[in-house]
Amino acid sequence: MRIDVLTLFPEMFSGVLGSSILKRAADHVSDPADPHDPAKVRPPVVEYHLTNIRDYTDNKHNKVDRPPFGGGPGMVIQCQPVWDAVMAVEAQDARRATRILTSPQGEPLTQSIADELATHDRLLIIAGHYEGIDQRVIDKLAPIRKVSIGDYVLSGGELPAMVMIDSIVRLLPGALGDDTSTEHESFAAGADGLLDYPHYTKPRTWMDMEVPEVLLSGNHAAIEQWRKEQAMERTRQRRPDLLK
Ligand code: ADE
């Protein structure tokens, strides 16, 4: 998958895309059992391309935003730099990009939207900023999916873009060490839409607190049954809306 991000603040992305699973997904990864065999190197499962919208302004002051027509607070990003940036970036690769705009007015991001977006070859995410982007360029870029990460307002679309990228890239085959590890998480299809069950590891006793006995029993059917009950109980208590 290729992911393009158009933003006024590309520097915000380096820590997130350059660490942990998102970094590993963009790297060549050798097989730990055979680290010197080039045939066993897993190629990158994703490429990130960051573009600064400001690089595409056609005015000599490098301005990208102007006050809104009709008055009101804040500034509005102009059509021209956004349009030119999208056209230039899309021309860099023959794969057709699925266009996404981060916006608090978008459809709320859910696991099923992440699952669906993870099937695309190429995503182009525009991180909205300030009071917004001139509506005409958004209309002209149709079809463009507007996605929100929740009912609260952030100061820009960069964090939402990173949240979306994380939720998508970790689903790509080969991104996690073990491909089955996304199957039973909260909201995953394999978890029946329930919250995840609680997890425990060594030591067996910590501050006088014990690990639930069933997890030490070696009885896999009983463990599975216990986890199902825990997931159901947590969901009932914390997110009854998911059971409707
Ligand atoms: N931009 C500002 N707030 C946002 C949100 N909650 N989701 C997506 N983009 C945003």
Side-chain angles (χ1 to χ4, degrees):
M1 173 186 277
R2 170 172 172 145
I3 301 181
D4 286 282
V5 183
L6 275 61
T7 167
L8 290 168
F9 301 98
E11 67 280 3
M12 286 178 72
F13 289 79
S14 51
V16 171
L17 301 184
S19 314
S20 186
I21 287 166
L22 296 187
K23 173 181 190 300
R24 197 173 173 278
D27 286 342
H28 289 89
V29 178
S30 53
D31 183 341
D34 221 341
H36 302 296
D37 184 348
K40 291 192 180 157
V41 171
R42 189 222 67 195
V45 299
V46 67
E47 295 161 46
Y48 309 116
H49 295 263
L50 288 153
T51 297
N52 193 334
I53 296 169
R54 197 178 300 281
D55 293 343
Y56 289 86
T57 55
D58 65 4
N59 70 75
K60 59 176 182 292
H61 303 292
N62 271 358
K63 263 185 91 70
V64 290
D65 55 345
R66 296 292 155 118
F69 280 129
M75 300 288 266
V76 177
I77 300 181
Q78 294 174 282
C79 294
Q80 178 274 320
V82 175
W83 178 257
D84 287 0
V86 172
M87 293 305 112
V89 163
E90 288 190 348
Q92 289 170 8
D93 192 299
R95 285 170 282 185
R96 192 187 162 85
T98 296
R99 298 172 179 162
I100 300 165
L101 174 67
T102 62
S103 165
Q105 287 91 42
E107 56 181 328
L109 180 65
T110 58
Q111 188 61 47
S112 66
I113 291 176
D115 290 340
E116 198 277 317
L117 291 173
T119 66
H120 294 232
D121 277 350
R122 185 174 181 199
L123 303 176
L124 181 146
I125 305 175
I126 304 175
H129 228 269
Y130 306 128
E131 294 306 308
I133 297 179
D134 189 313
Q135 187 61 40
R136 291 169 296 180
V137 70
I138 300 172
D139 294 345
K140 191 78 182 166
L141 287 169
I144 181 165
R145 204 152 170 179
K146 291 97 184 164
V147 180
S148 164
I149 62 158
D151 289 340
Y152 41 83
V153 179
L154 299 165
S155 47
E158 284 73 21
L159 290 168
M162 288 185 249
V163 167
M164 288 177 54
I165 292 169
D166 190 303
S167 70
I168 294 163
V169 168
R170 61 193 299 287
L171 298 172
L172 301 178
L176 302 181
D178 170 3
D179 281 351
T180 61
S181 53
T182 60
E183 244 169 56
H184 294 286
E185 299 170 325
S186 298
F187 309 115
D192 299 324
L194 300 178
L195 298 185
D196 199 6
Y197 51 78
H199 300 266
Y200 300 86
T201 187
K202 285 183 176 178
R204 286 171 69 146
T205 309
W206 180 77
M207 289 204 184
D208 290 334
M209 298 161 82
E210 302 293 333
V211 170
E213 198 60 46
V214 62
L215 299 179
L216 311 171
S217 67
N219 180 338
H220 296 295
I223 292 170
E224 177 111 342
Q225 177 63 25
W226 180 86
R227 286 178 167 166
K228 266 195 191 137
E229 286 163 12
Q230 292 287 316
M232 179 58 85
E233 186 53 22
R234 273 191 169 182
T235 310
R236 200 182 59 72
Q237 284 186 8
R238 300 180 192 177
R239 292 293 306 276
D241 57 298
L242 295 175
L243 297 171
K244 293 202 187 96

